[in-house]
Amino acid sequence: MSEKVHIFDTTLRDGEQVPGCQLTTAEKIEIARELEGLGVDIIEAGFPISSPGDFKSVVEISRSVSNPVICALARAVKGDIECAAESLRYAKRKRIHTGLGSSDIHIQHKFNSTREKILEQGVAAVKYARSFVEDVEFYAEDAGRADLDFLCQLVEAVIAAGATVVNIPDSTGYCLPHQYGAKIKYVFDHVPNVHKATISVHCHNDLGLATANSIEGLANGARQVEVTMNGVGERAGNTSLEEIVMILKTHKTLNLHTDLNSKLIYPTSLLVSERMRMPVQANKAIVGRNAFSHSSGIHQDGFLKHAETYEIINPNDVGVPSSSIVLTARSGRHALRHRLEIIGYVFSKEELDDMYKLFIALADVKKLVTDDDLQALVSEAYPVKECTKK
Ligand code: KIV
Ligand code: ZN
């Protein structure tokens, strides 16, 4: 039977760290409500110690949203944990996400510490967080580059201290998918109490591998994935929510599912892009402007004969109203006839050949030929042609 993967959305924390993407409290509440509608399981609402504004946002999101668990980030220090606990006071279901660096690079250069001290600090942080809330997630920052046996020791110790979820982040987006998958498997094989907690994957996209790495982590036993809408996040971003949800929906052989209503993906993507003032790249998987648009003649011909020739996802499944046929100098007669019919003109084969020559001449100079351009071509070449749309 298919197993559930919990979706931990960090658009409002890791996503909001992006320069220029800062949100007001009102905007964060609006996005949190949209994420609740979409069906995410956990919303990481912010890093309350970082600023009074972020603290206030976590408080207000906790008041405004009921179904998802509301999570607040805290470094493994008392002040952060107390602040996170206070910011969550109105949350119906609450989680503190605390942790610290686990790779030797972080231990030596960021903390000037030792593995032993990091282990102690992690355990103390989890115990302290558990004195405020029942649900505590521990993050082993830069686990992607951490020594495997130390990572396992740390995971075992924080689970024994009461962590309910353990996050194994590839904070720098360093790992290859098979390496990250093997890391998660190693944790499952070498941590005796691993089944007392949920293992979470949190991947960054520095090498464009965040989604692939997250999927490998899930395939090797993780049951929570940390994502952002549109893949926004530090540097090259985080694993994108829309990609994970649609990969699990498309590839049933993974035997994993989420409880999200995928039809709300596109409206949520638009809202996040607008509020963060962060345009989505046109060729972004699932939510980019070109994700369901066909422009070359070969593809258009196949798509018009049978959509599945070039579409593995029905656009309606993610809330995109329809696929589109874009007319460029690479388009063929089939696409031209299709668009002409949409605007109300039916041409014989000979007339269409004639129109096609005119269209290609225009497309070579105009790049994108719109319905208005087509209308102008028809009016000039066939001024008395009957239009069924008038
Ligand atoms: O990338 C990372 O390691 C993080 C942690 C704070 C969870 O964002
Ligand atoms: Zn991160």
Side-chain angles (χ1 to χ4, degrees), residues 10 13-14 17 141 169-171 202-204 226 234 238:
T10 182
R13 199 277 299 168
D14 224 336
Q17 289 174 201
E141 196 178 8
D170 184 19
S171 310
H202 176 118
C203 298
H204 280 267
E226 311 200 358
E234 279 280 333
N238 288 57

Side-chain angles (χ1 to χ4, degrees), residues 343-345 375 378-379 383 385-390:
I343 66 169
Y345 296 102
Q375 181 61 63
V378 176
S379 304
K385 187 83 186 166
E386 189 195 341
C387 178
T388 57
K389 292 282 162 76
K390 281 182 184 154

Side-chain angles (χ1 to χ4, degrees), residues 8 10 13-14 17 44 73-74 97-100 106 137-143 167-173 202-204 226 234-235 238:
F8 175 113
T10 182
R13 199 277 299 168
D14 224 336
Q17 289 174 201
E44 188 164 46
L73 186 76
H97 187 191
T98 188
L100 72 180
H106 277 226
E137 174 167 344
F138 177 82
Y139 66 86
E141 196 178 8
D142 202 22
N167 178 7
I168 312 288
D170 184 19
S171 310
T172 56
H202 176 118
C203 298
H204 280 267
E226 311 200 358
E234 279 280 333
R235 305 181 309 277
N238 288 57

Side-chain angles (χ1 to χ4, degrees), residues 7-11 201 225-229 238-241 244:
I7 296 288
F8 175 113
D9 183 281
T10 182
T11 306
V201 289
V225 58
E226 311 200 358
V227 294
T228 60
M229 198 69 228
N238 288 57
T239 304
S240 87
L241 176 149
I244 291 293

Side-chain angles (χ1 to χ4, degrees), residues 39-300:
V40 307
D41 300 285
I42 303 107
I43 293 177
E44 188 164 46
F47 180 23
I49 194 88
S50 67
S51 75
D54 216 34
F55 177 87
K56 182 171 165 235
S57 296
V58 179
V59 172
E60 296 308 327
I61 290 170
S62 300
R63 279 196 222 259
S64 316
V65 165
S66 330
N67 292 328
V69 171
I70 305 299
C71 179
L73 186 76
R75 289 165 300 182
V77 290
K78 281 190 164 181
D80 280 32
I81 294 169
E82 285 158 11
C83 184
E86 177 61 12
S87 71
L88 292 169
R89 64 186 182 276
Y90 299 114
K92 293 192 180 58
R93 299 162 69 208
K94 50 186 96 174
R95 177 183 297 176
I96 293 177
H97 187 191
T98 188
L100 72 180
S102 63
S103 66
D104 288 332
I105 297 178
H106 277 226
I107 296 171
Q108 286 161 23
H109 300 292
K110 199 171 132 180
F111 298 107
N112 190 21
S113 187
T114 61
R115 289 184 183 178
E116 293 68 32
K117 285 188 192 149
I118 289 289
L119 203 122
E120 268 173 37
Q121 196 180 337
V123 165
V126 169
K127 286 190 176 155
Y128 195 52
R130 277 298 302 255
S131 71
F132 297 99
V133 296
E134 285 185 2
D135 190 3
V136 172
E137 174 167 344
F138 177 82
Y139 66 86
E141 196 178 8
D142 202 22
R145 293 186 295 172
D147 175 80
L148 266 179
D149 291 317
F150 175 64
L151 180 64
C152 289
Q153 249 184 299
L154 184 59
V155 173
E156 183 178 351
V158 296
I159 294 175
T164 46
V165 181
V166 181
N167 178 7
I168 312 288
D170 184 19
S171 310
T172 56
Y174 170 76
C175 293
L176 292 171
H178 73 276
Q179 293 170 335
Y180 189 69
K183 188 157 270 215
I184 299 297
K185 182 170 177 348
Y186 196 90
V187 167
F188 273 100
D189 290 346
H190 292 84
V191 174
N193 56 359
V194 70
H195 295 288
K196 291 192 175 150
T198 300
I199 296 297
S200 183
V201 289
H202 176 118
C203 298
H204 280 267
N205 209 27
D206 300 66
L207 291 172
L209 293 171
T211 297
N213 284 347
S214 297
I215 291 293
E216 276 300 305
L218 295 174
N220 281 284
R223 286 295 171 265
Q224 177 180 284
V225 58
E226 311 200 358
V227 294
T228 60
M229 198 69 228
N230 302 335
V232 290
E234 279 280 333
R235 305 181 309 277
N238 288 57
T239 304
S240 87
L241 176 149
E242 60 275 14
E243 292 171 13
I244 291 293
V245 172
M246 294 317 290
I247 288 169
L248 299 189
K249 208 169 157 129
T250 304
H251 287 279
K252 300 273 188 264
T253 51
L254 288 168
N255 253 332
L256 298 171
H257 69 272
T258 72
D259 283 348
L260 266 68
N261 177 358
S262 66
K263 288 189 192 311
L264 295 178
I265 284 178
Y266 189 56
T268 310
S269 160
L270 290 178
L271 177 73
V272 168
S273 165
E274 243 179 75
R275 296 296 178 265
M276 286 192 161
R277 295 159 286 277
M278 178 74 145
V280 173
Q281 73 190 58
N283 62 332
K284 170 77 189 63
I286 322 288
V287 292
R289 191 176 68 241
N290 292 348
F292 298 99
S293 105
H294 306 275
S295 73
S296 88
I298 297 172
H299 288 213
Q300 290 173 333

